[in-house]
Amino acid sequence: VTPSALTEIGPVISLNSQGTIIAAGWNIHPGTVFPGINLRRGNFLAAFNPNTGNALWGVNVDTVAPNSNARHLDIPALKISSNDDIYLGGDFNDTVIVGIDTLIAPNLGGHSCIIKYTSNGNLIWAKQDYSVSNSTNLGPIAISGNNIYIFGYVRRNDNFWGYPVTFAGVGVETNVILKLDTGANLIWGITQDS
């Protein structure tokens, strides 16, 4: 990381059932991000041999305009399921293209997303929260069996991944825990007013 410019950011890392290192990050300079991985500017997902550190594969997560330094997608969460599918949890604030999926943030507000990959870096889907308040945030995620658990917050009365959130007090934001299926469909939710 370049301390003064934040040109490369590597926020999340995990291991799959084979011990393979899976990491997601962001880089501003197209080219060889790690030896053996040539990527364009933007968020990336990569795998490394745990014994040698050699790159196994790398893919760009989102498409970023060639002359843009803006980060419209932030990925603070990475979890791997028991069958080694890779789940990225994040937030975005503009139109973001992930493979054939387009995530759209109306009014450039903050929205959350979950992106699912196979164990070898092939995109399965990218889905977004369709809240209307432009002020949701997805924090940590957990995977268990056929379920995704997410922890986030909402700053106004809204629907967070389809779960209605109503402020019970005068807090600035409300914490939310949700249970989704592996297609990112809501099963249940609970809230805690802050």
Side-chain angles (χ1 to χ4, degrees):
V1 175
T2 304
S4 61
L6 288 180
T7 55
E8 287 85 26
I9 301 172
V12 288
I13 190 168
S14 190
L15 301 174
N16 69 14
S17 66
Q18 306 302 309
T20 302
I21 301 164
I22 306 294
W26 185 81
N27 71 296
I28 195 169
H29 300 291
T32 305
V33 179
F34 294 99
I37 300 179
N38 189 339
L39 299 171
R40 58 183 190 272
R41 179 193 324 250
N43 290 281
F44 63 87
L45 178 65
F48 303 89
N49 182 302
N51 299 315
T52 65
N54 291 337
L56 301 174
W57 54 260
V59 295
N60 279 98
V61 173
D62 59 331
T63 300
V64 178
N67 296 319
S68 172
N69 291 332
R71 286 183 65 207
H72 296 298
L73 174 64
D74 185 32
I75 301 172
L78 181 154
K79 289 295 177 185
I80 300 175
S81 69
S82 59
N83 67 349
D84 287 339
D85 284 341
I86 302 162
Y87 292 82
L88 303 177
D91 300 293
F92 66 101
N93 62 10
D94 202 337
T95 298
V96 176
I97 299 172
V98 179
I100 61 169
D101 297 314
T102 302
L103 308 175
I104 300 172
N107 302 320
L108 303 181
H111 294 271
S112 62
C113 64
I114 301 173
I115 306 168
K116 182 178 180 180
Y117 286 89
T118 64
S119 61
N120 58 1
N122 293 318
L123 178 67
I124 297 173
W125 50 252
K127 297 189 178 181
Q128 74 177 80
D129 170 34
Y130 285 96
S131 62
V132 296
S133 68
N134 295 334
S135 57
T136 63
N137 185 278
L138 188 142
I141 63 175
I143 307 294
S144 178
N146 292 320
N147 298 299
I148 305 167
Y149 297 87
I150 63 176
F151 185 46
Y153 64 82
V154 179
R155 292 190 184 105
R156 299 187 181 107
N157 293 343
D158 206 341
N159 285 306
F160 189 49
W161 290 91
Y163 181 72
V165 177
T166 303
F167 286 100
V170 295
V172 177
E173 47 197 43
T174 296
N175 292 322
V176 183
I177 298 173
L178 301 178
K179 180 179 182 179
L180 310 175
D181 65 22
T182 53
N185 301 300
L186 179 68
I187 296 173
W188 57 253
I190 56 173
T191 61
Q192 174 241 330
D193 184 65
S194 59

